[in-house]
């Protein structure tokens, strides 16, 4: 089966893991993702329906716009991918404008531009909600037109909601299956990347998510799959779930030689 890449770069993206994730997902009518991110699982599974949620309004607005108006969005987004925009001063000028802009369509265009021209495809905001990823210095950023069109086509089966994971779990129905890809617990204090929106996802949230997943499976009789780093804390939090682990290479570093394989944990609460 041909795999489909997301049109966004994304820290912790699941493109390389979609086969492993799919093998853990029971059959259901609808897949619910409380942390949709770049959508690699959505793009590479075959459910009748999808409920795709995230707390980042820029991300969800982009998806909704691409779902409903792909022709205009792709045509206008293409205009950003020119040499004149691939300069540090221009990038920071666009970033300043974005942080003052309120129009969802215009913000969605800049969001894709920053994703491809910014450093490592990171999505990060400061405590005031301002986007603050630095310039990426790439020779010729790729315009993902093919990936945009495929996402738009596939999105006709989806509903996108800008809500947090607790609200997403409230929407779960008995005919659903849930996959959670939360911000991961840090492997070490120096690797603490848990704030891609200006909200944080701390260890209390990790524990609450584990509890929410367990209760959802028990009370709504749906299967819930959660992925995270395979560390002792996560195995303790998901004690009682069916646990499995695989090795995965992390690709967020620009220096390929510094990329290391780490253990990925899958915790499945079965209906």
């Amino acid at each position: 089966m041909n795999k489909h890449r997301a049109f966004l770069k994304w820290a912790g993206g699941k493109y390389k893991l979609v086969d492993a994730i799919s093998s853990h997902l029971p059959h259901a009518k609808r897949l619910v993702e409380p942390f949709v991110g770049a959508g690699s699982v959505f793009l590479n599974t075959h459910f009748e329906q999808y409920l795709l949620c995230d707390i980042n309004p820029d991300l969800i607005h982009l998806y909704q716009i691409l779902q409903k108006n792909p022709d205009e969005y792709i045509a206008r987004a293409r205009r950003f991918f020119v040499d004149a925009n691939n300069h540090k001063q221009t990038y920071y000028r666009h970033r300043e404008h974005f942080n003052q802009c309120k129009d969802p369509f215009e913000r969605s265009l800049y969001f894709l531009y920053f994703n491809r021209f910014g450093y490592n495809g990171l999505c990060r905001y400061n405590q005031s909600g301002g986007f603050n990823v630095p310039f990426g210095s790439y020779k010729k950023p790729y315009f993902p037109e093919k990936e945009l069109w495929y996402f738009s086509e596939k999105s006709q089966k989806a509903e996108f909601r800008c809500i947090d994971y607790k609200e997403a779990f409230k929407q779960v129905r008995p005919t659903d299956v849930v996959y959670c890809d939360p911000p991961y617990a840090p492997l070490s204090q120096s690797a603490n990347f848990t704030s891609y929106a200006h909200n944080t996802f701390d260890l209390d949230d990790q524990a609450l998510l584990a509890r929410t997943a367990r209760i959802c499976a028990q009370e709504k009789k749906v299967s819930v799959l959660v992925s995270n780093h395979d560390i002792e804390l996560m195995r303790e939090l998901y004690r009682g779930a069916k646990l499995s682990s695989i090795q995965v290479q992390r690709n967020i570093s620009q220096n390929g030689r510094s990329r290391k394989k780490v253990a990925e944990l899958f915790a499945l609460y079965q209906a």
Side-chain angles (χ1 to χ4, degrees):
M1 181 186 77
N2 289 333
K3 288 166 65 176
H4 298 276
R5 287 193 177 275
F7 65 86
L8 293 171
K9 299 179 182 180
W10 208 254
K14 291 298 180 286
Y15 176 78
K16 293 183 178 180
L17 284 174
V18 289
D19 291 336
I21 293 167
S22 296
S23 71
H24 288 85
L25 288 173
H27 177 75
K29 183 176 182 179
R30 185 176 72 162
L31 175 65
V32 177
E33 290 195 64
F35 308 87
V36 64
S40 288
V41 174
F42 155 63
L43 291 168
N44 291 285
T45 51
H46 302 283
F47 294 87
E48 292 179 41
Q49 299 171 358
Y50 295 84
L51 174 60
L52 306 175
C53 309
D54 203 280
I55 59 168
N56 186 330
D58 290 320
L59 182 71
I60 294 299
H61 286 151
L62 189 165
Y63 289 164
Q64 291 170 336
I65 288 166
L66 191 57
Q67 180 186 48
K68 297 171 184 174
N69 194 4
D71 297 85
E72 182 181 1
Y73 180 81
I74 293 171
R76 291 182 59 182
R78 187 186 295 110
R79 299 173 194 167
F80 279 83
F81 285 72
V82 294
D83 290 341
N85 280 324
N86 197 21
H87 296 281
K88 183 182 290 188
Q89 293 82 358
T90 307
Y91 177 90
Y92 289 123
R93 190 164 63 248
H94 284 320
R95 196 179 74 177
E96 183 178 354
H97 177 76
F98 173 82
N99 285 331
Q100 298 171 357
C101 175
K102 303 296 184 184
D103 178 65
F105 196 104
E106 189 172 359
R107 287 181 68 91
S108 72
L109 296 170
Y110 280 111
F111 192 84
L112 177 60
Y113 164 73
F114 296 139
N115 181 261
R116 289 287 169 174
F117 286 74
Y119 180 75
N120 256 353
L122 289 176
C123 180
R124 190 184 66 197
Y125 302 79
N126 62 29
Q127 288 301 312
S128 301
F131 189 83
N132 65 356
V133 174
F135 182 60
S137 297
Y138 298 107
K139 187 174 181 180
K140 187 180 172 90
Y142 171 66
F143 179 56
E145 180 165 0
K146 179 181 70 173
E147 292 84 353
L148 285 162
W149 279 114
Y150 185 80
F151 189 101
S152 179
E153 179 184 340
K154 184 75 181 282
S155 72
Q156 304 311 309
K157 295 183 176 182
E159 177 186 0
F160 299 101
R161 300 279 302 276
C162 186
I163 55 178
D164 68 17
Y165 73 91
K166 296 182 288 292
E167 288 298 314
F169 270 100
K170 292 178 183 178
Q171 314 300 317
V172 172
R173 305 190 293 237
T175 53
D176 293 340
V177 63
V178 182
Y179 171 61
C180 293
D181 180 26
Y184 278 17
L187 289 168
S188 65
Q189 284 303 110
S190 62
N192 191 5
F193 179 75
T194 60
S195 184
Y196 81 100
H198 55 88
N199 308 69
T200 58
F201 201 87
D202 59 21
L203 294 181
D204 287 339
D205 287 300
Q206 298 285 358
L208 183 57
L209 172 60
R211 180 177 182 272
T212 303
R214 183 179 69 252
I215 291 174
C216 181
Q218 291 172 347
E219 295 185 353
K220 297 194 175 184
K221 308 301 181 187
V222 301
S223 294
V224 181
L225 178 67
V226 187
S227 58
N228 214 303
H229 285 140
D230 189 358
I231 56 178
E232 186 176 344
L233 173 64
M234 290 299 105
R235 285 185 171 266
E236 179 63 26
L237 288 181
Y238 289 98
R239 185 173 53 181
K242 180 181 178 182
L243 302 180
S244 58
S245 182
I246 62 172
Q247 293 290 313
V248 60
Q249 187 165 317
R250 291 284 175 240
N251 286 327
I252 198 61
S253 171
Q254 278 193 324
N255 180 358
R257 290 172 295 181
S258 70
R259 296 172 185 171
K260 298 178 180 179
K261 286 195 173 184
V262 297
E264 183 104 358
L265 182 70
F266 293 124
L268 176 64
Y269 290 109
Q270 293 179 298

